[in-house]
Amino acid sequence: MTGCISGLNQDSSFTLSEGLQQLKSEHPPLLEKLADLLDLSRKVEEGMEIEENFLKLKELVVEFLAELEPHSEREEGVLFEMMAAYIGREMGPIAVMEYEHDQAKRFIGTFLHNTKDGTGLTAEQMIDNAQLIKNANYTLVSHFSKEESILFPMAENMFSKEEKQELAQRIKLIK
């Protein structure tokens, strides 16, 4: 089914250019960390060593965000900008991707704001905040899947050879 976007991710001979492949290769380590966050969030919700698991959750959320932010910047500041020149950003895939980035950041940001003092939260507050991280997890897992199956193949077909080289060079500059 080559030639239509829905078939691209099913074509085993389909390969991504260097920059798009780099963005895709950043997903598995982020997904592993998201799985750990989800596991801790569930333990908090279930009341399992709630304070200990919540403190570990907070620590891992900070670490995760430090890895997510440069990845998001490479996508928002480079890939999305380059794609928007072709397909716009007010509606369609870029609008959806940016919305999902904002939504995940809002969940994580609210969690960090609510837990900045570090102590004094009730069990119910810990559970409520753990749910924010679960929501961020679900948003990002779905988001990464959409990027890999729709957005990256779309960009691969859309960009010229020169634009693919520009993408690779520009995303390398973001650390």
Side-chain angles (χ1 to χ4, degrees), residues 9 48 92:
N9 62 337
M48 297 172 55

Side-chain angles (χ1 to χ4, degrees), residues 123-137:
E124 185 177 324
Q125 289 170 321
M126 287 184 227
I127 290 168
D128 289 346
N129 282 286
Q131 289 172 343
L132 291 168
I133 299 307
K134 279 179 56 178
N135 291 339
N137 171 290

Side-chain angles (χ1 to χ4, degrees), residues 34-49:
L34 280 168
D36 293 341
L37 295 177
L38 182 61
D39 182 54
L40 284 169
S41 296
R42 287 181 172 152
K43 286 178 180 175
V44 169
E45 279 187 326
E46 293 166 9
M48 297 172 55
E49 300 174 0

